Amino acid sequence: MLKVSHVYKYFDDHCVNNDISLDLKNGEIFGLLGPNGAGKTTLMRMLATVTTPDRGEILIKGENLGPKHVPLIGYMPEERGLYRKMSVVDQLLYFAELKGLARSHAKDNVRKWLHRLDIVHWADKKMEELSKGMAQKIQFISTILHEPEFLILDEPFSGFDPVNADMVKDLIIELKETGTTILFSTHRMDNVEELCDRLAIIHEGRKVLDGSIDEVRREHFKFEYDLSFTDVVTIPEHLKYRKLEVASPNTYRITLEKDEPFNSLLDWAYSTQKLKAFGEYLPTMHEIFVNKVSNK
């Protein structure tokens, strides 16, 4: 669906995006992560055709990204932009027609989504009369009304309570299942692990990590194992480990030395005849993110 090749973007002498390359597949959810000021929004604005790269290339469906591709794209920026004096329905119709929908098609889609999100009774209200969460729903609808093939969501869960956040998650998954390619940015790592097929982390303008969730977590495995026993046990001295954490009197996390065979730990654990659970501990995306952007 989308290929970003060696993209650079400068503001005066400052390089905001430095040699960024990404590859987004059809019908996948891709997480674009990074700390504040990393260059995520600048990159998303280029993908949405708001700005253009100073160097490099962006292809969509094999063609150079340009104005003719705008109808294929839905973009919800972090700084929301709705007209406060317009009614909900007029605003949605306006955005749908801007994206090329015929008025009859736009009306059908507006009606469908207002019913879907249970806000049809707010259709004639002005935006200034809506709560922040309700306005967020309208912003989300305006982004997907024209049925884009490529969806860009910048902090899509901001402003939602847990119930509405779950509703938006379900909609994102549903859109993916219908073939929509979705790129979204968030600081909520639990959402990343729950939704993303693949991700990239950008730090100080550069890409520092790229891959699937499973690949990334496996790549950062630190030889940590969780063991739970039915009773208190004593860790034997012959095991070579760097760290031992005791979560409870009979639950442990052991970090082995790299040259210590995994089987030596497993054999001892079984020999105690008290083993209840044993498993690898793979770092969370939160831990990986913090490690990657803390300049360690």
Side-chain angles (χ1 to χ4, degrees):
M1 170 57 74
L2 189 85
K3 188 175 183 64
V4 179
S5 300
H6 305 291
V7 160
Y8 291 78
K9 186 66 178 178
Y10 298 90
F11 292 135
D12 296 324
D13 294 329
H14 180 56
C15 186
V16 181
N17 291 143
N18 191 336
D19 195 23
I20 301 292
S21 294
L22 301 173
D23 217 338
L24 274 67
K25 301 173 184 177
N26 284 315
E28 77 171 346
I29 300 178
F30 192 98
L32 184 64
L33 314 179
N36 294 331
K40 305 185 301 298
T41 297
T42 298
L43 179 58
M44 285 187 282
R45 287 168 64 86
M46 288 189 282
L47 300 182
T49 74
V50 177
T51 60
T52 56
D54 293 316
R55 289 166 54 192
E57 181 180 63
I58 301 176
L59 301 178
I60 186 166
K61 302 179 75 171
E63 300 178 342
N64 284 309
L65 180 64
K68 74 174 184 177
H69 298 112
V70 168
L72 300 178
I73 301 169
Y75 175 42
M76 187 168 80
E78 183 177 10
E79 295 181 1
R80 315 303 194 216
L82 296 170
Y83 299 104
R84 293 179 56 78
K85 299 295 182 181
M86 286 181 73
S87 72
V88 167
V89 68
D90 287 343
Q91 183 141 210
L92 291 175
L93 287 172
Y94 172 66
F95 282 124
E97 290 182 284
L98 275 182
K99 289 289 189 173
L101 261 63
R103 188 149 185 100
S104 60
H105 190 181
K107 284 182 176 179
D108 288 342
N109 281 8
V110 168
R111 191 179 304 112
K112 178 185 79 172
W113 283 107
L114 289 178
H115 278 282
R116 182 72 187 277
L117 273 67
D118 194 27
I119 49 177
V120 68
H121 52 288
W122 291 91
D124 296 320
K125 299 288 186 180
K126 291 183 179 180
M127 291 303 305
E128 62 186 3
E129 300 177 64
L130 271 59
S131 67
K132 183 178 179 181
M134 194 70 70
Q136 291 286 70
K137 286 186 179 182
I138 303 304
Q139 185 82 58
F140 185 80
I141 293 174
S142 73
T143 306
I144 62 175
L145 262 178
H146 63 292
E147 301 163 346
E149 295 181 43
F150 177 43
L151 190 57
I152 305 168
L153 305 173
D154 195 353
E155 295 290 345
F157 308 108
S158 175
F160 283 125
D161 60 41
V163 172
N164 283 306
D166 284 345
M167 176 202 65
V168 171
K169 287 180 194 176
D170 291 341
L171 288 174
I172 289 173
I173 292 170
E174 183 179 315
L175 289 166
K176 171 197 169 178
E177 290 173 348
T178 61
T180 307
T181 301
I182 301 166
L183 179 144
F184 83 91
S185 174
T186 182
H187 289 111
R188 292 285 305 273
M189 295 299 116
D190 55 335
N191 290 333
V192 173
E193 292 192 10
E194 185 177 355
L195 293 174
C196 291
D197 300 298
R198 294 189 302 126
L199 61 90
I201 294 179
I202 296 177
H203 181 44
E204 297 178 344
R206 294 179 178 274
K207 184 178 74 174
V208 297
L209 183 150
D210 190 352
S212 73
I213 297 290
D214 290 340
E215 289 169 347
V216 168
R217 294 184 68 195
R218 173 62 58 186
E219 181 183 329
H220 291 80
F221 175 57
K222 299 178 181 178
F223 305 96
E224 293 178 297
Y225 300 90
D226 287 339
L227 297 90
S228 179
F229 298 89
T230 57
D231 199 355
V232 177
V233 299
T234 301
I235 307 299
E237 294 183 359
H238 73 267
L239 284 176
K240 292 188 291 184
Y241 57 87
R242 287 182 287 118
K243 190 175 180 182
L244 173 64
E245 300 173 66
V246 182
S248 68
N250 57 348
T251 303
Y252 307 84
R253 177 167 296 163
I254 298 177
T255 306
L256 294 179
E257 297 287 357
K258 288 185 179 181
D259 60 349
E260 175 70 352
F262 158 78
N263 283 344
S264 61
L265 176 62
L266 187 58
D267 290 344
W268 163 77
Y270 273 121
S271 72
T272 65
Q273 299 184 347
K274 299 176 181 179
L275 182 65
K276 184 167 69 173
F278 183 98
E280 294 177 331
Y281 175 77
L282 297 177
T284 65
M285 283 309 307
H286 176 87
E287 293 168 321
I288 293 168
F289 178 88
V290 170
N291 180 265
K292 281 292 181 182
V293 306
S294 61
N295 295 316
K296 291 184 180 178

